[in-house]
Amino acid sequence: MRFRLTPRETSFYDMFAASADNIVTGSKLLMELLGADPAGRAEIAERMRAAEHAGDDATHAIFHQLNSSFITPFDREDIYNLASSLDDIMDFMEEAVDLVVLYNVEELPKGVEQQIEVLSRAAELTAEAMPNLRTMENLTEYWIEVNRLENQADQIHRKLLAQLFNGKYEAIEVLKLKQIVDVLEEAADAFEHVANTVETIAVKES
């Protein structure tokens, strides 16, 4: 770790950890969605919206702290990118749940549960990693595993698309379901963006 002669604003660490914990909450709501009936999904969507708003508040708090801090724990651009990528994850998860409700989807295609399981695991790893930004230790396995999970998510996504276009579904249903699985794939990509940003920070601080 690089030795510093100047004090640093440390509240960023707590805010990043809080943002990642909120993403775990969102991933659990996604898991709930899988076993819920249409009526229950609407209630889950309300809770997801509340979690997304909490995520927005956490992101705005980080940006406010960034604008008011003279000294930051690492590069300002990396702080901005990390906060934005964490916020993107929550946005995509909330969008997926909202689309399921708005489109009145009766049954999600087989394989969506695998997408959500990958997101849930990535959320747990991200929440575990954020406190380690204080020391920049024990982070390598985190970004390697998240990148592996993103590759797994890509494969699941491709299989889902093949399933949607196999002629089983009506055209309008294909459009609805494709948008949902695409948004879940975007959430997996956003987890990878977070991991890549953490890797960039760790390399700069080493």
Side-chain angles (χ1 to χ4, degrees):
M1 166 109 19
R2 190 169 62 199
F3 180 69
R4 293 179 180 269
L5 295 174
T6 54
R8 296 185 294 178
E9 173 56 64
T10 60
S11 61
F12 288 104
Y13 301 121
D14 293 332
M15 289 189 285
F16 282 129
S19 184
D21 287 343
N22 190 57
I23 288 170
V24 173
T25 298
S27 70
K28 290 179 179 178
L29 289 171
L30 274 177
M31 293 294 288
E32 281 189 50
L33 185 76
L34 290 173
D37 57 25
R41 288 173 179 172
E43 189 270 337
I44 292 170
E46 284 296 324
R47 285 190 282 148
M48 182 65 96
R49 255 189 297 276
E52 192 273 333
H53 290 326
D56 285 342
D57 290 342
T59 303
H60 293 320
I62 293 171
F63 290 162
H64 176 76
Q65 190 67 34
L66 184 61
N67 291 331
S68 61
S69 296
F70 179 67
I71 299 172
T72 57
F74 36 87
D75 286 353
R76 291 175 180 273
E77 181 181 359
D78 292 330
I79 291 174
Y80 180 86
N81 288 338
L82 183 54
S84 296
S85 295
L86 287 167
D87 188 61
D88 287 344
I89 294 169
M90 202 66 214
D91 287 346
F92 289 132
M93 291 197 298
E94 190 273 334
E95 183 180 353
V97 173
D98 202 33
L99 288 173
V100 170
V101 173
L102 290 174
Y103 288 161
N104 294 313
V105 174
E106 292 186 7
E107 184 177 355
L108 291 165
K110 182 176 174 58
V112 168
E113 73 283 355
Q114 295 175 0
Q115 274 191 307
I116 292 175
E117 286 169 5
V118 167
L119 295 179
S120 180
R121 180 57 183 151
E124 292 171 358
L125 289 169
T126 302
E128 292 169 4
M130 288 302 107
N132 293 337
L133 289 172
R134 289 181 180 272
T135 61
M136 295 296 166
E137 295 176 352
N138 302 316
L139 287 169
T140 303
E141 290 184 5
Y142 153 68
W143 66 65
I144 289 174
E145 180 62 10
V146 169
N147 276 273
R148 187 194 69 78
L149 287 171
E150 197 279 330
N151 289 334
Q152 183 179 344
D154 284 345
Q155 294 174 353
I156 295 168
H157 181 243
R158 288 193 291 268
K159 289 179 181 178
L160 275 163
L161 292 181
Q163 180 182 340
L164 291 178
F165 289 109
N166 68 4
K168 173 184 175 182
Y169 297 92
E170 297 290 336
I172 189 65
E173 196 69 13
V174 170
L175 292 175
K176 293 177 181 179
L177 296 176
K178 182 180 183 300
Q179 190 172 359
I180 292 166
V181 300
D182 284 351
V183 170
L184 291 171
E185 171 65 12
E186 289 184 281
D189 290 342
F191 273 113
E192 185 179 40
H193 293 159
V194 169
N196 290 343
T197 302
V198 170
E199 182 179 9
T200 296
I201 293 167
V203 169
K204 288 180 180 179
E205 296 296 303
S206 63

